[in-house]
Amino acid sequence: STWGHLTTLMNIAVALATLALVALVSAASSETSAAGSRAKPAGDKQAPTVFGASFLKGPWKCAKSADVKPGQAALCRQGRPNQILVDQVYTINLAKRIDRWKSVVAEMETRGVRTTRFDAIDGSMISEFEYEILTQKNIRKLTKGLVGNLISHMRVWQDIADRGWGRALIFEDDATFEQGFKGLDALIDELDRTDPNWDFVYTGRLSVPETWLLLKDEGVLEHFPEKRQDVVVSEHIVDPGASEGMWGYMLSAKGARAMIDAYKAAGLLFDVDLVLHMPLIRNRLRMYAFEPPISAYNESDAYSDDSNSKTGLNLLKRANKFVAGGQYREAAARYHQALEYGLPNHEQCWAHTNLAFITDLTGGDPAVAESHFETAIGIPDVPNTQRADTYGNYCYFLFRHGRLTRAAAACQEGLALDPSHEKCAANLQLIQTRLASGATEGVKNLDHKHIDL
């Protein structure tokens, strides 16, 4: 039958996707030196180059008696340089992002940390045929960059499994280490006491509330039915709920093998970090997180290689999600960051308008809110309808704070730009009614809470 034929084709496609994923992950590991020369996989004579802090200096220095192998960016215990604490440190980096590589290595060196470079898969080099095969089972549209990112991580896991590392740290090249690595040995000892058979531990991640907002915005919340929350299991160790971010984590060889098996069975369903928390993968893993974290995402980089979009716009979108979820402090921080990194004029206008809204709604300084409105209406090359909307919000803000004459003028300026603008017309009518009833200039109307975004 036609249905039977289609089912057969679908099964073949899924099988091909699994084979393609296995083939890509099983390909030779791609660690490279700063010059980009390709290092050999496990078992070959040529070892990867180690970058960052010298083995002879810093808090994680290693003595010759520690028996560190060539190409092993080991960290040894503080005060006991003959004992290896972390077997290997990997940093995943695209060959074209030399800027990121130099930045992360420089920061690691200041922290006394060393690393090897693991060559990331450039998603733009994945053929359309491979892309279609690999994304047969996905639950939302994945960019080629996201596909390349997942495969890059899986290749690192394969290398860890092949080499049998007991503890390996993995960082993306946009990781940062504001908290430093202070107390790493104590954290690892606490982890081992908590669960000697751990598989995976976050060194940094987004919070669970932030992650739920992202999942909701992506329209995939139904795929995370457990709605798992953080559970504290010891002073600095939590059993984590859904968490976005793979910029820093630690794996054991056992955990690497478990993750490879789980991801191969699941296929490329979603982003590498979020699919990790879907039940079919999450329930296979003994997963933990360090609290507080020791790594974060470096948002000073103005370009995302995975999503092919500017970081400023990514921050703006994330801020909008936080506003929708009522997380105003998180939203305001990201609006400010988005403006620092640069936005198109019309997006600058929205960011300042929303900052004014948040400031007023949360009881901030009205002068600060007003300055954001003034900045927003003064930004050039903004469509009239949007500028009129800003005037409508500004008008209502001024009304709330008893500035009735100025509020009426703001609404009229909005209507001059867009005569059919309903918000400006409605707010102007409200103000005129108040003035006609004898309302006094300077009497605040803070019982009116809503400013429409």
Side-chain angles (χ1 to χ4, degrees):
S1 66
T2 301
W3 174 248
H5 181 61
L6 287 173
T7 302
T8 300
L9 288 176
M10 289 173 63
N11 290 337
I12 292 172
V14 169
L16 284 171
T18 302
L19 288 172
L21 184 58
V22 171
L24 282 167
V25 172
S26 299
S29 297
S30 302
E31 292 158 311
T32 64
S33 68
S37 60
R38 200 173 281 275
K40 302 299 182 182
D44 203 289
K45 292 181 181 179
Q46 184 178 342
T49 304
V50 177
F51 300 88
S54 164
F55 283 101
L56 304 177
K57 297 179 181 179
W60 315 107
K61 63 184 179 181
C62 295
K64 289 184 178 180
S65 57
D67 194 28
V68 176
K69 301 294 189 293
Q72 185 179 355
L75 307 181
C76 292
R77 286 186 175 274
Q78 287 188 312
R80 286 179 282 173
N82 61 321
Q83 294 182 18
I84 293 177
L85 176 69
V86 175
D87 296 296
Q88 183 66 296
V89 181
Y90 298 85
T91 299
I92 302 172
N93 169 249
L94 279 170
K96 64 184 179 183
R97 295 310 305 267
I98 298 173
D99 56 330
R100 281 187 174 182
W101 173 244
K102 289 181 177 179
S103 176
V104 73
V105 169
E107 184 172 4
M108 284 186 174
E109 188 165 9
T110 65
R111 308 289 183 185
V113 175
R114 56 201 65 93
T115 185
T116 56
R117 180 179 176 276
F118 200 95
D119 205 14
I121 299 296
D122 188 342
S124 66
M125 303 302 291
I126 297 174
S127 71
E128 287 300 321
F129 175 75
E130 287 176 312
Y131 174 74
E132 292 299 327
I133 291 295
L134 288 167
T135 57
Q136 285 287 334
K137 297 167 68 177
N138 62 5
I139 59 177
R140 80 162 176 94
K141 184 71 173 177
L142 296 176
T143 65
K144 286 186 176 182
L146 289 170
V147 173
N149 180 254
L150 192 152
I151 296 171
S152 299
H153 280 272
M154 291 186 75
R155 282 189 166 185
V156 174
W157 306 342
Q158 187 68 61
D159 194 67
I160 293 168
D162 290 345
R163 297 176 187 269
W165 299 133
R167 303 185 192 106
L169 285 169
I170 302 96
F171 299 109
E172 292 182 340
D173 59 7
D174 53 0
T176 188
F177 313 100
E178 293 179 7
Q179 302 301 320
F181 289 78
K182 185 178 180 181
L184 179 62
D185 42 3
L187 283 173
I188 289 175
D189 288 343
E190 184 179 341
L191 175 67
D192 287 341
R193 289 193 303 270
T194 300
D195 183 356
N197 296 311
W198 62 270
D199 292 321
F200 174 104
V201 58
Y202 283 105
T203 63
R205 60 189 176 123
L206 281 188
S207 69
V208 173
E210 290 175 286
T211 301
W212 284 124
L213 284 175
L214 295 175
L215 293 172
K216 182 179 180 181
D217 184 72
E218 294 282 0
V220 296
L221 204 54
E222 72 218 48
H223 297 282
F224 300 81
E226 295 181 348
K227 293 185 170 55
R228 190 191 297 256
Q229 300 294 320
D230 283 354
V231 176
V232 176
V233 294
S234 69
E235 185 178 2
H236 302 105
I237 308 293
V238 301
D239 181 339
S243 309
E244 188 198 36
M246 293 287 275
W247 51 74
Y249 57 100
M250 187 167 70
L251 267 183
S252 64
K254 179 177 77 72
R257 286 188 286 269
M259 289 180 69
I260 291 167
D261 291 343
Y263 274 70
K264 284 179 180 177
L268 294 182
L269 300 175
F270 201 42
D271 305 34
V272 61
D273 42 7
L274 293 175
V275 75
L276 185 63
H277 290 274
M278 296 180 70
L280 75 170
I281 292 179
R282 177 65 175 86
N283 292 336
R284 295 187 183 197
L285 299 174
R286 303 172 81 97
M287 178 189 293
Y288 299 95
F290 291 144
E291 285 294 337
I294 63 172
S295 64
Y297 164 55
N298 184 359
E299 293 182 333
S300 65
D301 185 351
Y303 189 80
S304 169
D305 297 296
D306 298 339
S307 59
N308 300 326
S309 59
K310 295 291 183 182
T311 294
L313 291 175
N314 287 342
L315 287 165
L316 184 74
K317 292 175 184 177
R318 182 161 289 179
N320 292 339
K321 294 170 189 175
F322 286 131
V323 168
Q327 297 185 40
Y328 298 119
R329 185 176 65 178
E330 291 85 350
R334 284 161 178 82
Y335 282 131
H336 282 296
Q337 290 172 334
L339 287 166
E340 288 176 9
Y341 296 140
L343 292 169
N345 285 18
H346 68 288
E347 300 290 12
Q348 290 181 44
C349 183
W350 285 130
H352 280 291
T353 301
N354 291 355
L355 280 168
F357 161 80
I358 291 169
T359 302
D360 194 41
L361 186 68
T362 56
D365 185 349
V368 173
E370 185 171 359
S371 70
H372 281 299
F373 276 124
E374 288 290 339
T375 300
I377 61 177
I379 294 171
D381 302 322
V382 173
N384 283 350
T385 300
Q386 181 182 345
R387 196 183 302 279
D389 199 67
T390 301
Y391 271 115
N393 284 322
Y394 191 14
C395 164
Y396 197 80
F397 162 80
L398 292 166
F399 162 74
R400 272 172 42 84
H401 290 272
R403 313 258 303 276
L404 301 184
T405 302
R406 180 68 185 96
C411 279
Q412 288 166 343
E413 289 177 70
L415 287 169
L417 291 167
D418 182 2
S420 63
H421 199 279
E422 295 180 359
K423 185 189 301 181
C424 289
N427 288 345
L428 181 60
Q429 183 178 10
L430 172 65
I431 294 163
Q432 289 173 337
T433 301
R434 287 293 180 97
L435 288 171
S437 66
T440 304
E441 185 83 12
V443 177
K444 295 184 179 182
N445 302 284
L446 298 181
D447 54 316
H448 288 262
K449 302 278 186 196
H450 180 63
I451 300 176
D452 188 18
L453 282 177

